[in-house]
Amino acid sequence: MISFFICLLLLIGGYFVYGKVVENTFAPDDRETPAVKINDGVDYVVMPQWKLFLVQLLNIAGLGPIFGAMQGALWGPVVFLWITFGTIFAGGVHDYFSGMLSERNEGASISEVCGIYLGGFMKNVMRIFSVVLLVMVGTVFAVGPAGLIVTLFKNGNVSGIVASTEFWLWIILAYYFIATFISIDKIIGRIYPVFGICLIIMALGVIIGVFTHSDYQIPEIWSHFTNMHPKGTPIWSVMFITVACGAISGFHATQSPLMARCMKSEKQGHFVFYGAMVAEGVIALIWAAAGCSIYAVTDGLSTGLSAILANGQSAAIYDVCSKTMGGVGVALAMIGVIVCPITSGDTAFRSARLVLADWFKVDQSKFTKRLILCVPLLAVGAVVGHLDYTIVWRYFSWTNQTLAMIVLWTASMFLFREKKNYWITVVPATFMSAVSMTYFFYAPECLNLGTTVAYPAGIILAIVFFGIFMYATKKQPKEAA
């Protein structure tokens, strides 16, 4: 329990100390923001800072910091370290720069931002990559809640069309169309802060429940500094890929431009972007602690947690909430596992629309121009929702962290051009390069070459990427001259 509180204090302190270092490095000023300058009443709309924070939190979170953290708890309390230091030195930095670089470039999508600092080839790669990833995320976050709603109806002995997954899939997709199409302050700006508060309350209820149950003891890192995964899955780099949203996630970079287009001042970035990531880290830390403390450990392995996770993410969240909060927890769990994915899904489609709009230079202030992008996007989502995408989805974790790696290298090039301290992004970029490349060589769904090949290959490629960046920094001044 002591190590949990130490990590919690480090996260909070990280916001005020390292988050300020990051902000001072970027150096926000009083220039006119895109929300004020453009203000099209659709995507560029000024919103108050507290709404920006809560909407950003909900957009980047969903179930990510909950289920990912519980999966990470299979390795034991060592996961606390990744959540804590990953959030402070990688995730917070990534989210801040992805949001602020978008803000500095007229609210551009992350693919356009990458193109500005890494070149045209990378811009086109990121355009395709971002749209495919966002449509996939949006579709999965429609199918999952639809299935859960049907399960609830069937458990209540309700039959008919309302107990059909197809029915609820179309209902959710219809909502996605509306939320993707209309002004951001009409639905997202009004109700998402409420759901953001629910996400926070659910986390607080879980940790209070853990503390008030004498049977639940959060293990200490120093007494369980070992791999507790029942299958012996290696910590490096699988744990770093598994716990994405609770430490660092490339998906966040696709969401940050939404709020970058709604900021009244650049100085709000510290609270909105870095702050939301720290809040997500705290939520992930709480759920990881619950996973480590509630379930039985056999021979030093997290067998009890493994058994509950085998029933699916919704069942695991339901179980934790019911054990820590009783009936109130069950109600919060239902909000969490149904609403949170949907709210991440619709902003995924909205982000996809904006990526396409930036790509093809389609003016989004006009009703008909938004229809041109919304209709085919949701049509593709409807088709994908009826396909067996299980195999494709396995690649999400890797592509997610690879996107984070690219964004950090983008921020590094920006800082170099601005003659600022680029090491605050180069170090996490190099680290995430090693994580992503190691996983690519190791994972069964990727090259499946085992740790003997994956470990050195991942490190070597990370060094190569670092070398390419350093070469670019030496070459660029000569070309400019």
Side-chain angles (χ1 to χ4, degrees), residues 270-281:
H270 178 216
F271 180 65
V272 174
F273 299 121
Y274 199 97
M277 183 62 237
V278 168
E280 186 174 26

Side-chain angles (χ1 to χ4, degrees), residues 22-293:
V22 172
E23 181 184 32
N24 290 339
T25 301
F26 180 83
D29 54 36
D30 295 323
R31 73 184 65 193
E32 195 173 42
T33 64
V36 176
K37 182 180 179 180
I38 301 174
N39 201 344
D40 64 359
V42 180
D43 299 308
Y44 294 84
V45 179
V46 175
M47 291 199 295
Q49 181 171 279
W50 67 272
K51 277 192 176 182
L52 293 172
F53 171 82
L54 288 172
V55 173
Q56 173 73 1
L57 175 62
L58 198 62
N59 285 354
I60 66 175
L63 290 182
I66 298 176
F67 190 62
M70 289 188 68
Q71 287 278 13
L74 289 170
W75 282 276
V78 293
V79 73
F80 297 172
L81 297 176
W82 170 230
I83 291 172
T84 302
F85 294 108
T87 295
I88 296 171
F89 297 109
V93 176
H94 169 276
D95 286 16
Y96 181 82
F97 277 98
S98 64
M100 295 308 293
L101 288 181
S102 172
E103 189 276 336
R104 278 281 171 96
N105 291 280
E106 306 292 350
S109 301
I110 195 60
S111 56
E112 307 304 303
V113 172
C114 290
I116 292 170
Y117 300 104
L118 297 183
F121 173 76
M122 187 56 68
K123 176 167 65 176
N124 289 324
V125 169
M126 289 293 287
R127 282 169 169 171
I128 297 171
F129 185 86
S130 296
V131 172
V132 171
L133 179 66
L134 287 166
V135 170
M136 183 170 66
V137 169
T139 304
V140 170
F141 283 162
V143 175
L148 180 60
I149 293 172
V150 170
T151 299
L152 292 175
F153 275 115
K154 289 183 177 179
N155 289 342
N157 295 319
V158 177
S159 58
I161 190 171
V162 294
S164 165
T165 302
E166 184 75 12
F167 172 77
W168 287 105
L169 175 61
W170 283 105
I171 290 292
I172 294 172
L173 287 174
Y175 162 73
Y176 279 3
F177 176 80
I178 296 172
T180 302
F181 179 79
I182 66 173
S183 172
I184 194 168
D185 60 338
K186 292 297 187 290
I187 294 180
I188 294 175
R190 290 183 179 180
I191 65 172
Y192 280 31
V194 176
F195 294 134
I197 292 171
C198 289
L199 187 66
I200 295 171
I201 291 174
M202 185 162 63
L204 291 175
V206 167
I207 197 60
I208 292 172
V210 169
F211 290 150
T212 54
H213 283 71
S214 58
D215 294 337
Y216 304 152
Q217 296 295 323
I218 302 175
E220 305 293 0
I221 297 172
W222 44 82
S223 59
H224 295 79
F225 196 70
T226 184
N227 186 349
M228 298 177 64
H229 199 289
K231 296 181 180 179
T233 304
I235 293 175
W236 179 264
S237 64
V238 183
M239 186 184 76
F240 298 87
I241 291 288
T242 302
V243 186
C245 289
I248 178 172
S249 168
F251 176 68
H252 297 184
T254 68
Q255 302 300 293
S256 293
L258 295 179
M259 294 301 97
R261 300 181 183 211
C262 299
M263 293 166 55
K264 185 178 181 180
S265 168
E266 280 196 347
K267 296 176 182 178
Q268 295 175 324
H270 178 216
F271 180 65
V272 174
F273 299 121
Y274 199 97
M277 183 62 237
V278 168
E280 186 174 26
V282 171
I283 292 171
L285 183 66
I286 288 172
W287 280 90
C292 289
S293 61

Side-chain angles (χ1 to χ4, degrees), residues 390-412:
T390 305
I391 302 299
V392 178
W393 183 245
R394 291 179 186 174
Y395 290 90
F396 170 74
S397 295
W398 174 72
T399 53
N400 186 44
Q401 299 300 60
T402 301
L403 177 58
M405 171 193 82
I406 296 171
V407 172
L408 285 169
W409 284 121
T410 300
S412 299

